[in-house]
Amino acid sequence: MTESFLDIDGISHGYSDGEGGIFDISFSMARGEFVVLAGRNGSGKTTFIRHLNGLLKPDKGRIRLHGNDIFKDIIRTRQTVGMVFQDADTQIVGETIFDEVAFGPENLGWPRRRIDEKVAETLNRLDLLRFRDRHPATLSGGEKRRLTIAGILVMDPELIVFDEPFANLDFPATQDLIRQIKAIHREGKTILMATHDVDMVIEHADRLMIMAEGKIAAQGPAGKLAPELGRFGLKPWCACRKIQESDQWPA
Ligand SMILES: Nc1ncnc2c1ncn2[C@@H]1O[C@H](COP(=O)(O)OP(=O)(O)OP(=O)(O)O)[C@@H](O)[C@H]1O
Ligand SMILES: [Mg+2]
């Protein structure tokens, strides 16, 4: 039996006004999987995601990482699960790009030399090293998104959760980010991505999960479920027919 990585067992979360929320979601991820989470506006994707590192607490149900409840050691959980939110500004706290990425490792008490090396390496990887002394507020939207990813990647999490990573990015920036995410995945990271641009990433994903009205409406292998996207009111994937005809998922 493969080791269980992330196990979500019947979680629900209601908001005080009685609208929205998520209901009875059970879901597991194997280590190294790439899952795309799709669903219409307000279907509960962000609410669900915010539970994975304990930012929201479920009203019922539980979430386990490596078999342990995520609240048992919340610091460990937050090191294991990195979150990249849609609104980069809410995640930015540093005075310079370098400080921003050094913030997490400093909080963990890493030795200075290790921090300096790892931060420089991560900034370089995301093509941000040349901006190292600038204030984060001076970056463009796409650069800020890369900065947020650098701040997560530097901590070497096992699971990286992306919430609408392509929002407000132009086509080349989207393609560049897809390349980065694919590389991160190839290195063995587990990836969960909520996106409205399913068609941009689906061929790289192992599994697709579709939410509707706070529940899981469908889940399954990405190739199998891709042709169903339209049925859930989501943007259909134009290459579906080609795949159905050839019966082959592009590598
Ligand atoms: N803090 C909150 N208080 C009350 N209701 C909330 C709160 N946060 C979210 N909701 C409601 O819960 C529902 C799900 O919201 P959520 O942000 O999880 O959806 P989403 O699938 O991420 O949508 P989008 O695609 O627009 O990002 C919505 O109806 C939303 O209005
Ligand atoms: Mg959302």
Side-chain angles (χ1 to χ4, degrees), residues 18-62:
E19 302 247 347
I22 53 171
F23 309 97
D24 199 24
I25 293 194
S26 294
F27 177 71
S28 303
M29 281 183 88
R31 205 188 176 118
E33 248 194 316
F34 185 162
V35 175
V36 168
L37 174 55
R40 296 180 58 174
N41 291 135
S43 56
K45 303 181 296 297
T46 298
T47 303
F48 170 63
I49 277 174
R50 292 176 79 88
H51 281 80
L52 301 184
N53 71 350
L55 284 174
L56 285 178
K57 220 171 171 166
D59 302 332
K60 60 182 199 68
R62 67 190 295 200

Side-chain angles (χ1 to χ4, degrees), residues 28-245:
S28 303
M29 281 183 88
R31 205 188 176 118
E33 248 194 316
F34 185 162
V35 175
V36 168
L37 174 55
R40 296 180 58 174
N41 291 135
S43 56
K45 303 181 296 297
T46 298
T47 303
F48 170 63
I49 277 174
R50 292 176 79 88
H51 281 80
L52 301 184
N53 71 350
L55 284 174
L56 285 178
K57 220 171 171 166
D59 302 332
K60 60 182 199 68
R62 67 190 295 200
I63 303 174
R64 275 173 293 207
L65 259 175
H66 294 298
N68 297 314
D69 191 290
I70 59 164
F71 289 102
K72 197 173 148 203
D73 183 349
I74 194 70
I75 294 176
R76 175 110 196 265
T77 295
R78 291 190 177 156
Q79 273 173 254
T80 310
V81 183
M83 297 258 178
V84 179
F85 293 110
Q86 174 177 350
D87 182 4
D89 287 328
T90 60
Q91 250 174 307
I92 287 172
V93 290
E95 287 295 314
T96 66
I97 274 87
F98 192 92
D99 290 350
E100 177 63 32
V101 177
F103 183 76
E106 276 166 359
N107 274 340
L108 291 176
W110 290 11
R112 190 72 243 170
R113 203 169 143 183
R114 181 170 168 215
I115 296 176
D116 289 346
E117 278 172 13
K118 185 80 187 188
V119 171
E121 177 199 312
T122 310
L123 286 175
N124 189 38
R125 175 177 184 165
L126 287 149
D127 194 21
L128 291 168
L129 195 55
R130 61 208 151 101
F131 304 140
R132 56 177 290 159
D133 297 322
R134 269 173 54 184
H135 193 279
T138 65
L139 293 180
S140 78
E143 290 159 355
K144 271 187 201 156
R145 186 74 40 82
R146 298 212 302 278
L147 177 60
T148 322
I149 295 170
I152 298 298
L153 215 52
V154 75
M155 312 273 284
D156 203 20
E158 292 176 47
L159 167 64
I160 306 186
V161 183
F162 293 91
D163 197 357
E164 300 294 345
F166 312 119
N168 300 319
L169 296 190
D170 66 13
F171 188 63
T174 302
Q175 285 185 309
D176 179 57
L177 188 52
I178 291 171
R179 267 194 297 274
Q180 295 273 3
I181 292 171
K182 268 172 65 182
I184 293 168
H185 181 230
R186 264 199 311 271
E187 285 159 22
K189 306 276 185 225
T190 309
I191 292 184
L192 177 66
M193 179 195 291
T195 180
H196 292 289
D197 299 301
V198 177
D199 51 339
M200 300 290 286
V201 286
I202 194 160
E203 67 208 67
H204 311 301
D206 300 309
R207 244 182 333 141
L208 179 62
M209 168 172 161
I210 300 176
M211 288 186 71
E213 296 175 359
K215 301 193 182 110
I216 297 181
Q219 62 170 312
K224 270 220 174 91
L225 210 50
E228 310 269 325
L229 284 165
R231 191 157 70 80
F232 296 95
L234 302 167
K235 187 165 68 174
W237 186 54
C238 55
C240 295
R241 205 180 305 126
K242 241 196 302 185
I243 282 183
Q244 278 173 329
E245 277 165 12

